[in-house]
Amino acid sequence: NLIYILNKVDLVPTWVTARWVKVLSREHPTLAFHASISRSFGKGSLIQLLRQFTRLHSDKRQISVGLIGYPNTGKSSIINTLRQKKVCNVAPMPGETKVWQYITMTRRIYLIDCPGIVQFSSSDTDTDIVLKGSIRTQSLLSPEDYIPEILSRVRKEYIQRQYQIDKWDDAHDFLSELATITGKLNKGGEPNLHVISKMVINDWQRGRLPHYRAPPEFSEPLPKQASSEQTDAATEKATVGADAEDETMEGASDNEEVESKRITLAELNINQIFSKIPVVAEYLPVDLEGDKDLKALEKIQGEEAAQKSSKKAAGKRKREAEVADTSDVEADWDEVFESA
C-alpha cells in the first residue's frame, strides 16, 4: 500500500495544499501534514490511516511503514511528531539520516526512517535538483548559477522584504547589492558572490522566501475538481470491470482482492480541515485569495456533515425506541400456551 504525505504545508497557502491533495488523491490516499511535536497538523488522520492498514492486514502480526522521499522533506520529523518526542535526529539540511532506523509506534506498527533518495527524472535539470533541497549548499561549486531561477520563482515583494533591496537589474546585480549590504566582500571590496549565493539558497530551502507552485487544475473551482474526481473514479471502476471479464478465473480473483482493498481505503472517513493549518509563511493578500473560497467550501461541507450525522443519530434513536416499545408489550399467555 502506498500513501502520499504532503509535509511542510505550513509554508504554502492553504488553498494550494487543498488543491494538491485533491489532485494527488486520484492516484493514492493523500494527507496534508505539518510536522511539529507541539503544534502539528494531520497527525490524527495519519494515525487513523495506519490503523486501517493494520485491519486490512489482520493476518500479520505487525506491519512496517517506511517513509521514503527526497532529502530534507521532513521524514524524520514526521516520525518524531507521531511519537511526540525526539526519536530521530533532524537537521535543516539534506543527508542527516544516513542509515535505516526502526521505530516502534504501536504494538503492531513499526516505522522505518529511511535516508533521502533522489529519483531520476529526465525532465529534472541541475537547477531543479538543487532547488528541491537534494544537495547540500556546501557541495555546490557554482551556487550563483541557481540564483536567477530563485528570483524568477519568488515574488519581487518577498525578495525586497527579506533582503531590504528595492531594485536590481539581474541576478549578478542583486547578489552584488546583497553582498555589499551584508558585508560579504573579498579583498579590495569585491562582492563575494559565492558566499552570498549560498546564503540565498539556504534561505530558499528553509522557507524564508515564500513561494509555491500551483497544481495544473489551478483555474478550476474546488467543487468542479471534486466532481471530476468522481467521474475519473467511475471511469476507472468501469475499466477495471471490463478488464476483469477478459482475465482468467485466477487473475480475476486476484484483481477482486486488490480492488476490495482499494475500496476499503476510499471509504475511510478521514476529513482534513485545511483552514486549520498553522501557516507560518507571510504571504500577500493576492496569494491568499483562494483561502476565502476554501473556508466557504469547508463551512458548507461541515454543515452537510452535521446534518447527515444528525439524521443518522435520529434514526438510531427511533430504532432504539421501537425496540423498547416492542419489549414493553405484555405477552398474551393464552396464545403462548396454545402454541405450546
Side-chain angles (χ1 to χ4, degrees):
N1 300 108
L2 177 65
I3 63 175
Y4 293 146
I5 300 179
L6 293 182
N7 195 22
K8 301 187 179 183
V9 295
D10 58 312
L11 299 179
V12 299
T14 53
W15 66 267
V16 177
T17 300
R19 292 178 186 272
W20 272 117
V21 168
K22 285 190 174 293
V23 171
L24 297 176
S25 294
R26 299 172 185 174
E27 301 177 7
H28 297 283
T30 304
L31 295 177
F33 202 91
H34 166 49
S36 174
I37 295 179
S38 59
R39 193 185 179 191
S40 63
F41 178 84
K43 174 184 172 182
S45 299
L46 180 55
I47 292 176
Q48 182 180 354
L49 186 57
L50 293 179
R51 286 176 176 172
Q52 180 65 19
F53 281 141
T54 62
R55 298 188 187 98
L56 290 175
H57 301 283
S58 57
D59 56 323
K60 299 181 180 179
R61 295 182 57 185
Q62 66 270 337
I63 63 172
S64 298
V65 182
L67 280 81
I68 304 172
Y70 276 95
N72 199 31
T73 53
K75 299 180 293 296
S76 301
S77 297
I78 292 176
I79 294 178
N80 291 340
T81 301
L82 295 177
R83 287 296 309 274
Q84 289 187 316
K85 62 180 180 179
K86 183 179 179 181
V87 293
C88 301
N89 293 329
V90 296
M93 61 183 66
E96 179 65 19
T97 303
K98 296 179 174 58
V99 295
W100 285 19
Q101 183 178 357
Y102 284 78
I103 296 95
T104 302
M105 178 179 166
T106 65
R107 184 173 55 87
R108 294 195 58 200
I109 302 177
Y110 290 85
L111 304 176
I112 307 175
D113 188 19
C114 304
I117 60 172
V118 180
Q119 184 178 3
F120 172 77
S121 175
S122 58
S123 60
D124 281 349
T125 63
D126 292 340
T127 302
D128 293 330
I129 295 175
V130 171
L131 296 187
K132 286 179 179 178
S134 303
I135 301 177
R136 294 196 177 194
T137 54
Q138 293 84 348
S139 305
L140 300 177
L141 299 178
S142 301
E144 56 271 15
D145 295 342
Y146 309 106
I147 303 304
E149 184 65 21
I150 293 179
L151 296 179
S152 66
R153 294 191 186 187
V154 182
R155 282 186 181 273
K156 188 175 182 179
E157 294 85 349
Y158 300 142
I159 298 290
Q160 293 172 336
R161 184 180 65 189
Q162 177 68 21
Y163 301 114
Q164 302 300 314
I165 300 177
D166 294 332
K167 58 181 179 179
W168 56 88
D169 296 331
D170 52 21
H172 186 275
D173 184 35
F174 168 76
L175 292 174
S176 299
E177 185 71 19
L178 183 58
T180 302
I181 294 176
T182 57
K184 305 296 183 182
L185 304 174
N186 293 324
K187 293 182 179 180
E190 290 294 325
N192 192 334
L193 302 183
H194 188 82
V195 173
I196 205 67
S197 297
K198 288 184 177 181
M199 187 188 77
V200 174
I201 294 176
N202 282 331
D203 290 343
W204 162 275
Q205 293 180 349
R206 298 179 186 184
R208 295 170 184 162
L209 298 175
H211 63 278
Y212 62 87
R213 178 171 293 181
E217 291 81 352
F218 167 76
S219 58
E220 294 184 13
L222 289 174
K224 289 187 178 180
Q225 287 187 4
S227 61
S228 63
E229 289 175 12
Q230 295 174 357
T231 304
D232 295 341
T235 304
E236 181 181 359
K237 185 176 181 180
T239 304
V240 172
D243 293 341
E245 294 178 357
D246 299 332
E247 297 290 340
T248 61
M249 293 298 295
E250 182 179 359
S253 61
D254 294 339
N255 288 340
E256 289 175 0
E257 181 179 358
V258 174
E259 187 65 19
S260 64
K261 290 187 177 182
R262 289 179 180 173
I263 293 175
T264 304
L265 291 175
E267 293 176 351
L268 283 176
N269 187 23
I270 297 178
N271 182 30
Q272 292 188 294
I273 303 177
F274 301 110
S275 58
K276 293 185 177 180
I277 297 176
V279 179
V280 297
E282 297 181 1
Y283 284 93
L284 296 173
V286 65
D287 288 328
L288 300 176
E289 292 180 354
D291 289 356
K292 298 179 181 178
D293 297 334
L294 176 62
K295 289 181 179 179
L297 179 60
E298 288 182 341
K299 183 178 179 180
I300 295 174
Q301 292 175 343
E303 293 174 352
E304 292 177 351
Q307 293 177 358
K308 184 177 180 180
S309 177
S310 178
K311 291 181 180 179
K312 185 176 181 180
K316 183 178 180 180
R317 288 194 298 268
K318 183 178 179 180
R319 290 191 297 270
E320 291 176 350
E322 291 176 351
V323 172
D325 293 341
T326 303
S327 60
D328 292 340
V329 175
E330 185 176 354
D332 188 343
W333 294 104
D334 293 335
E335 295 182 357
V336 172
F337 286 118
E338 288 180 2
S339 60

